[in-house]
Amino acid sequence: MGFNTAILGALLVVQAGPIDTLVVRADTPAMELQAVEELRIGSLDGPEESSFGYIDAVAVAPGGTLYVADVQVPVVRVFDPSGIYLGDLGRKGEGPGEYIAIRGITALPDGEVAVWHEMGEVTVFDRDRQFARRFSVRLNSIAGGVGPGIVADTSGHVFVRTTASRALWSTPQVIRYAWVRYSSSGEFLDSIVSPDRDLAGSPFAFRSETFSAPSPHGYFVTGRTTEYAISRPLRDGRVLRIERDFDPIPIEGDERSQWERYVQEIESRRGEEFPRMHGTKPAWKDFRLAADGRIWVRRYSTAEHVLGHETRASAVGDLPTVQWVEPLLYDVLDPRGSYVGSVVLPAEAEMLFAQGQFVWTLERGRFDEPYVVRYRVDGLPGAD
């Protein structure tokens, strides 16, 4: 399936349709790259600045300065590349340089940092962490979803995720995402509507869907999880489709029965009935776009039965236990279509950010305390 972008006034719609597609096979044999932990920030009983409450996102400036958005306080903590605390970015309040509810954070290419807060406010701080400007964005509603809700591209444009007008929803029950794009100074540029998510399967276990996200290079990357094919536009108007073979992994035995009990309990509590699970896992779960434009594709893999294990969801919500754990496995694809290698991160970690040889994750300790962890991926070349 190819995707093109139609311009309708200030509305851009990424849509399926006939288009000149360049297919690139990324079937280089799998090569596992070693992720080595370099830095861990966080503590259970340490100083206030490292005893995080709820980490929503991080941003990494071009020089390596790390910004950690703790939405529970709320506050943005700032650390140098070695993990030394430098201070806070803004503070709680309603005045210039202040915020009440942090929604996301991103670093601009010139070293400025944009914080999305409240419903539709964006505050920009300069390289000295001082208030620079604030502007409002046009949102239908706050939209959740995988990955960051605010993204800056290499031109300094800022994308903020929202929902599309209901007139564009082909299925009433499925939220259709859109992105509003602004200049770094706050000038509205356009709105971009993502492809219909076209959901299938259980929403809590191995769901198949159409997935898309903005690249820091200024274009949108799209794919459907049931096939290993990722598409992105080229400057000449064609679409580059990156394909890779995969072996479907069956969902069976106790792994299947535990997930079925989990979903049935949610159905009972909500009074809804969800589609049944497929016989096999989709090709991939989601993807993240690194700051260098690489595509990190989160693969499904064979799960391991870990006795006594509880997913965070089951532990918090008193739901049936799922004791099957998948490694956090990413294939790294070059935006030009080549396979770079595969990276395994700790199970139940959450990828926050990637650039060049480095990836930052959110991980939790024994008492559920959060940590931001930076890994160096040996064998992963720096971006060119």
Side-chain angles (χ1 to χ4, degrees):
M1 176 184 295
F3 292 90
N4 61 356
T5 304
I7 303 178
L8 305 172
L11 175 68
L12 281 73
V13 182
V14 183
Q15 60 187 14
I19 194 168
D20 189 5
T21 301
L22 174 63
V23 177
V24 175
R25 298 292 306 179
D27 286 332
T28 306
M31 176 176 62
E32 184 172 328
L33 306 176
Q34 185 67 34
V36 180
E37 182 177 327
E38 282 195 335
L39 178 68
R40 179 175 291 257
I41 302 175
S43 61
L44 180 60
D45 298 311
E48 180 182 59
E49 63 267 16
S50 63
S51 297
F52 302 122
Y54 187 89
I55 297 173
D56 182 69
V58 303
V60 181
T65 302
L66 174 68
Y67 299 84
V68 180
D70 188 338
V71 301
Q72 183 171 302
V73 177
V75 69
V76 177
R77 307 291 191 193
V78 187
F79 301 88
D80 77 1
S82 64
I84 296 175
Y85 172 64
L86 299 177
D88 296 339
L89 192 71
R91 61 184 180 183
K92 184 176 181 180
E94 299 181 5
E98 299 177 339
Y99 36 72
I100 297 297
I102 300 174
R103 305 294 181 185
I105 184 171
T106 189
L108 303 178
D110 63 359
E112 292 187 322
V113 176
V115 179
W116 171 29
H117 55 99
E118 277 64 271
M119 173 66 176
E121 299 297 311
V122 173
T123 292
V124 180
F125 295 87
D126 64 23
R127 286 172 289 184
D128 296 321
R129 306 196 301 276
Q130 301 301 308
F131 171 77
R133 57 194 172 277
R134 175 173 172 167
F135 59 89
S136 300
V137 299
R138 309 176 186 179
L139 299 181
N140 286 327
S141 65
I142 294 174
V146 176
I150 181 171
V151 175
D153 68 16
T154 53
S155 298
H157 298 152
V158 176
F159 297 79
V160 179
R161 183 167 51 204
T162 180
T163 57
S165 167
R166 285 185 175 270
L168 295 172
W169 296 13
S170 60
T171 305
Q173 296 82 7
V174 177
I175 295 174
R176 191 167 184 183
Y177 291 139
W179 294 79
V180 288
R181 178 164 51 182
Y182 283 76
S183 70
S184 60
S185 63
E187 177 189 2
F188 172 73
L189 300 176
D190 48 43
S191 298
I192 300 115
V193 180
S194 302
D196 196 320
R197 296 177 68 201
D198 188 21
L199 305 180
S202 167
F204 302 99
F206 316 116
R207 179 168 65 185
S208 56
E209 63 177 302
T210 300
F211 189 82
S212 67
S215 167
H217 286 186
Y219 50 75
F220 271 72
V221 179
T222 307
R224 177 133 184 98
T225 60
T226 49
E227 57 179 350
Y228 204 134
I230 309 294
S231 297
R232 53 148 293 200
L234 298 172
R235 291 183 179 179
D236 62 8
R238 294 181 297 169
V239 165
L240 177 68
R241 177 182 165 100
I242 307 169
E243 298 181 353
R244 184 169 171 82
D245 287 335
F246 76 101
D247 295 320
I249 298 171
I251 312 168
E252 56 190 9
D254 195 41
E255 180 184 15
R256 185 181 188 89
S257 62
Q258 285 190 12
W259 275 114
E260 286 177 337
R261 287 195 295 271
Y262 182 90
V263 173
Q264 287 167 5
E265 178 62 25
I266 294 176
E267 288 178 325
S268 174
R269 295 185 185 189
R270 295 191 179 185
E272 301 178 59
E273 184 174 343
F274 301 111
R276 298 300 93 190
M277 282 187 289
H278 300 295
T280 59
K281 300 177 183 181
W284 48 276
K285 183 178 180 65
D286 57 57
F287 57 71
R288 295 296 184 95
L289 283 304
D292 51 49
R294 286 174 175 154
I295 307 165
W296 287 61
V297 181
R298 183 179 175 184
R299 290 255 315 279
Y300 280 106
S301 56
T302 301
E304 297 180 1
H305 187 210
V306 180
L307 211 58
H309 171 81
E310 282 190 322
T311 61
R312 278 183 45 77
S314 63
V316 173
D318 191 29
L319 292 165
T321 299
V322 177
Q323 296 177 324
W324 290 82
V325 181
E326 288 190 29
L328 189 59
L329 170 64
Y330 282 94
D331 285 347
V332 184
L333 304 178
D334 185 275
R336 291 162 291 194
S338 61
Y339 165 77
V340 182
S342 298
V343 181
V344 177
L345 299 170
E348 297 207 331
E350 178 184 344
M351 180 176 167
L352 296 172
F353 186 84
Q355 182 173 26
Q357 292 181 288
F358 303 98
V359 58
W360 287 255
T361 65
L362 171 62
E363 301 179 20
R364 295 186 177 276
R366 180 180 177 186
F367 298 99
D368 207 35
E369 72 277 13
Y371 297 87
V372 175
V373 185
R374 185 182 73 216
Y375 292 92
R376 182 190 73 253
V377 181
D378 290 341
L380 183 63
D384 55 26

